Amino acid sequence: QVQLVESGGGSVQAGGSLRLSCAASGYTYSSYYCMGWFRQAPGKEREGVAVIRSDGSTSYADSVKGRFTISQDNAKNTLYLQMNSLKPEDTAMYYCAATGTYCGVSFCLQFPRVCFGAWGQGTQVTVSS
């Protein structure tokens, strides 16, 4: 059973940076897999932040393009999200998700519950103005 553990959240001032990590264990994926970052602010629905496929294809939400970068270290089974130029509206609980099947990165960014069966517990990011 896949286990995902996020870390790296915290409190920063606007304009600052954070790097989130998601350590994956308990699985062996085949040639294709997808992983992604999602976030949920209080009173709002969960939204896609970024998705990456095993071949390196990525998709980003418009609100984070140019500021956030998703990457993966296959040797460490770890997913990362580098977040720069943080804004107060980036404040949310951030979750990572994974699937061991081929995925359309743009589709799965918009419809994560269709694509992803494994989710982490989340890490809080708070950005103050």
Side-chain angles (χ1 to χ4, degrees):
Q1 185 172 353
V2 179
Q3 291 185 323
L4 303 173
V5 179
E6 302 97 335
S7 61
S11 297
V12 295
Q13 289 190 330
S17 298
L18 284 173
R19 188 176 81 155
L20 305 184
S21 299
C22 174
S25 63
Y27 72 97
T28 300
Y29 284 158
S30 60
S31 300
Y32 292 110
Y33 64 86
C34 275
M35 297 186 75
W37 288 99
F38 300 84
R39 66 188 182 187
Q40 188 167 15
K44 295 187 177 181
E45 296 201 356
R46 190 169 298 189
E47 63 175 355
V49 176
V51 170
I52 188 168
R53 193 167 60 211
S54 50
D55 62 2
S57 296
T58 59
S59 182
Y60 291 90
D62 288 342
S63 59
V64 306
K65 282 181 181 176
R67 300 188 299 122
F68 291 10
T69 303
I70 188 171
S71 63
Q72 56 195 357
D73 184 332
N74 293 331
K76 295 182 179 180
N77 289 337
T78 301
L79 179 73
Y80 300 101
L81 184 69
Q82 178 65 44
M83 305 186 295
N84 299 328
S85 302
L86 282 161
K87 303 175 181 180
E89 51 263 44
D90 294 318
T91 295
M93 185 71 78
Y94 283 70
Y95 301 89
C96 73
T99 179
T101 59
Y102 185 88
C103 80
V105 290
S106 296
F107 177 84
C108 290
L109 184 70
Q110 294 185 68
F111 303 104
R113 298 189 189 280
V114 175
C115 296
F116 296 104
W119 292 83
Q121 293 300 305
T123 185
Q124 178 68 37
V125 172
T126 303
V127 185
S128 58
S129 57

